[in-house]
Amino acid sequence: MTATRRGGGLLVAGTTSDAGKSVVTAGICRWLTRRGVKVAPFKAQNMSLNSFVTREGAEIGRAQAMQAQAARVEPTALMNPVLLKPGGDQSSQVVLLGKPVGEMSARGFFGEPGGSSTGKELHGGGRERLLGVVTDCLEQLRGTYDAVICEGAGSPAEINLRRTDIVNMGIARAARFPVVVVGDIDRGGVFASFFGTTALLSPEDQSLIAGYLVNKFRGDVSLLEPGMEMLRGLTGRATYGVLPFRHGLGIDEEDGLRVSLRGSVRESAVAPPVGADVLRVAVCAVPLMSNFTDVDALAAEPGVVVRFVDRAEELVDADLVVVPGTRGTVKALAWLRERGLADALAARAAEGRPVLGICGGFQVLGEHIEDEVESRAGAVDGLGLLPVRVRFAREKTLARPVGSALGEEVSGYEIHHGVAEVLGGTPFLDGCRVGEVWGTHWHGSLESDGFRRAFLREVAAAAGRRFVPAPDTSFGALREEQLDLLGDLIEEHADTDALMRLIEGGAPTGLPFLPPGAP
């Protein structure tokens, strides 16, 4: 494989959502990088509330940013040209090439009658225009990299969406990329899922389904071999590996309530707390929670226990409460009030017990919100715990700020429509602090090791805990270890020679058609 020709590639599809496409893609990227292959990740269309800001100020899915880290390359908007950010009411903000271009209903996005959109850039051509954008991005990557590893979305056999598909077989067909289908055997029914996924595709799509990859297997692989042989006999396609189940293996989640690195740290052998006490962190699971991966860095610290909560009584024994980001600040405010969490937060502030608001959580803690953009609710009173007034602007702030706080250097990233006017308190990053209530728009600030330790010392002192941050925890090193483990899984448990042949030469010729095919 050489960089002088158009790069090869592979599409990693899945039998279901959460089958393991993201981690397999990252693992393949890390394995190829170790072999000296210049590789890039790619996901044509992503739906996620967890996003990241690239150096050029583009917003992409966090999973693609972490896959880029696995490939040891800088993430760019080319790697995730279409990002959908759900906002409730069956609509999503559409981010195209890193910039928001409007809100669109699901029916509108998929070109159904009655669909609606506020994004002028999406009218006229719809699916064809988006397919043109994503294929152009993919071709640019192929012109720069030896290989591009694409991640699909959901299942390629979602026959109701095939006509408008630009992320699964749509992009595979356009690029003539071979497809490996990942199945989560921990859920059961993996052989039926492999067969059914293939048999529901058209002959043209089936010709690119090269084979399968079993994920999350527990036990003796020899027990699977008869099934894999039968599957090969039925489909004419190989199983390219059986990846064993590993606790905590993952990269930044697209959605859900899992915290990837927390799982890795808590479920493996970790040094005990340095001090006499643990520190308990409660994260309010607000509606449309976004970038909850911010708390991964807290959970990476030995002796810090992080949990998500949705009841006021669950804040009682917390040493720190985090109000995270959200795509629905006004909705989150109402939710906090309905559940009694708003009163619990106010009581904590009055008692001098630590509260941290990040992005939308920071806005919630302020005095007043004017929102004619996100919720269109107009004037809304905040919780009044910080002297901040927020006005929502139509232009989204996308930035990679650097600064200092608590005597330590800090870096982060910003993704928000709300513009905060800070009217008092002690400056804290771009926000402020009053007593033990802290607020900032900066995501990712807790990944700065020195700052995180200084912040936890402040929290422990205010909470009266004999907690001492470990002096040598490196969040960046933990992430690298995790990505290396993913690379190890591919290298040790997949048929890497066969995968390389697929990446370089495409799908095998003469793959049989499985009836009935697409209806």
Side-chain angles (χ1 to χ4, degrees):
M1 187 180 296
T2 67
T4 58
R5 66 171 181 83
R6 190 165 171 245
L10 177 72
L11 174 71
V12 178
T15 56
T16 62
S17 296
D18 202 32
K21 297 182 292 291
S22 294
V23 296
V24 168
T25 300
I28 292 175
C29 285
R30 178 51 58 101
W31 158 65
L32 286 171
T33 299
R34 288 172 174 173
R35 293 189 56 160
V37 177
K38 188 179 179 184
V39 59
F42 179 78
K43 186 162 185 173
Q45 173 191 311
N46 200 349
M47 178 173 281
S48 178
L49 286 171
N50 285 335
S51 57
F52 181 77
V53 178
T54 67
R55 283 185 178 172
E56 71 266 31
E59 185 179 6
I60 65 172
R62 277 197 66 98
Q64 280 61 66
M66 287 295 288
Q67 289 162 356
Q69 185 176 347
R72 297 195 175 106
V73 297
E74 189 65 31
T76 73
L78 294 176
M79 297 173 184
N80 179 206
V82 180
L83 174 63
L84 306 179
K85 304 193 73 175
D89 302 322
Q90 298 184 346
S91 67
S92 295
Q93 182 180 68
V94 181
V95 179
L96 188 63
L97 294 174
K99 303 297 180 182
V101 296
E103 296 282 335
M104 179 171 278
S105 69
R107 291 174 65 87
F109 185 81
F110 291 111
E112 299 296 331
S116 61
S117 170
T118 61
K120 294 180 181 179
E121 296 86 343
L122 297 174
H123 287 305
R127 185 262 184 192
E128 291 76 15
R129 182 176 186 278
L130 287 176
L131 182 60
V133 170
V134 300
T135 54
D136 180 64
C137 291
L138 179 56
E139 287 305 302
Q140 289 186 59
L141 291 174
R142 294 182 72 183
T144 305
Y145 292 89
D146 299 339
V148 180
I149 307 303
C150 305
E151 179 189 344
S155 163
E158 290 168 349
I159 54 180
N160 55 314
L161 302 178
R162 178 62 184 92
R163 181 176 60 84
T164 55
D165 170 47
I166 62 170
V167 65
N168 289 306
M169 301 313 299
I171 195 69
R173 287 267 293 276
R176 302 305 302 169
F177 274 1
V179 179
V180 172
V181 181
V182 178
D184 179 358
I185 197 170
D186 205 43
R187 296 181 175 188
V190 71
F191 293 122
S193 297
F194 285 148
F195 185 91
T197 296
T198 308
L200 279 176
L201 300 177
S202 68
E204 295 82 2
D205 286 350
Q206 286 194 29
S207 70
L208 295 175
I209 302 295
Y212 313 107
L213 193 63
V214 176
N215 193 29
K216 301 182 187 177
F217 180 67
R218 308 172 190 248
D220 185 349
V221 175
S222 66
L223 297 176
L224 277 188
E225 290 173 355
M228 291 189 289
E229 283 301 312
M230 290 178 64
L231 184 66
R232 181 162 196 152
L234 289 166
T235 67
R237 291 161 172 85
T239 299
Y240 287 95
V242 178
L243 307 184
F245 184 93
R246 291 286 186 270
H247 284 292
L249 279 180
I251 56 176
D252 290 353
E253 299 286 347
E254 292 184 353
D255 288 297
L257 285 181
R258 280 181 302 276
V259 183
S260 57
L261 194 55
R262 178 186 68 172
S264 175
V265 170
R266 292 181 68 191
E267 296 173 8
S268 58
V270 179
V274 175
D277 291 340
V278 299
L279 208 62
R280 295 173 176 84
V281 179
V283 184
C284 296
V286 296
L288 300 172
M289 183 166 52
S290 61
N291 285 61
F292 54 82
T293 46
D294 283 330
V295 300
D296 274 3
L298 294 177
E301 288 285 348
V304 175
V305 179
V306 179
R307 67 183 189 273
F308 289 92
V309 304
D310 59 6
R311 297 184 301 177
E313 54 267 35
E314 293 178 289
L315 304 190
V316 173
D317 66 344
D319 302 307
L320 168 67
V321 174
V322 177
V323 187
T326 171
R327 253 278 283 162
T329 299
V330 171
K331 182 177 289 189
L333 258 174
W335 182 87
L336 291 167
R337 287 178 169 132
E338 289 166 3
R339 290 177 169 264
L341 288 159
D343 291 338
L345 289 169
R348 286 186 67 89
E351 295 165 2
R353 302 177 66 199
V355 175
L356 171 64
I358 302 174
C359 199
F362 167 41
Q363 297 165 9
V364 160
L365 299 179
E367 297 173 350
H368 187 76
I369 296 170
E370 289 281 345
D371 181 12
E372 299 292 349
V373 176
E374 189 175 77
S375 68
R376 299 180 180 85
V380 179
D381 289 332
L383 299 186
L385 305 184
L386 289 175
V388 174
R389 298 177 71 86
V390 177
R391 175 185 55 82
F392 274 69
R394 297 200 176 277
E395 187 74 17
K396 180 184 281 191
T397 297
L398 297 169
R400 291 273 293 269
V402 295
S404 63
L406 303 179
E408 300 286 347
E409 294 183 358
V410 191
S411 62
Y413 57 99
E414 295 183 66
I415 306 170
H416 54 92
H417 284 279
V419 178
E421 180 185 7
V422 179
L423 302 173
T426 302
F428 173 63
L429 301 178
D430 70 329
C432 65
R433 170 188 182 181
V434 173
E436 294 303 323
V437 180
W438 315 62
T440 176
H441 273 131
W442 290 21
H443 294 290
S445 61
L446 293 167
E447 296 177 18
S448 298
D449 296 327
F451 166 71
R452 182 181 65 255
R453 287 192 277 268
F455 176 70
L456 289 175
R457 282 192 289 269
E458 293 263 350
V459 169
R465 295 288 186 187
R466 294 172 296 168
F467 170 84
V468 178
D472 56 355
T473 301
S474 168
F475 186 73
L478 286 171
R479 272 191 164 158
E480 278 297 305
E481 289 174 14
Q482 190 178 46
L483 292 169
D484 276 333
L485 287 173
L486 292 176
D488 292 344
L489 280 182
I490 298 298
E491 193 165 336
E492 296 169 10
H493 300 281
D495 186 344
T496 53
D497 289 341
L499 288 176
M500 187 63 83
R501 287 194 294 272
L502 290 179
I503 292 167
E504 292 181 325
T509 58
L511 292 169
F513 169 71
L514 303 187

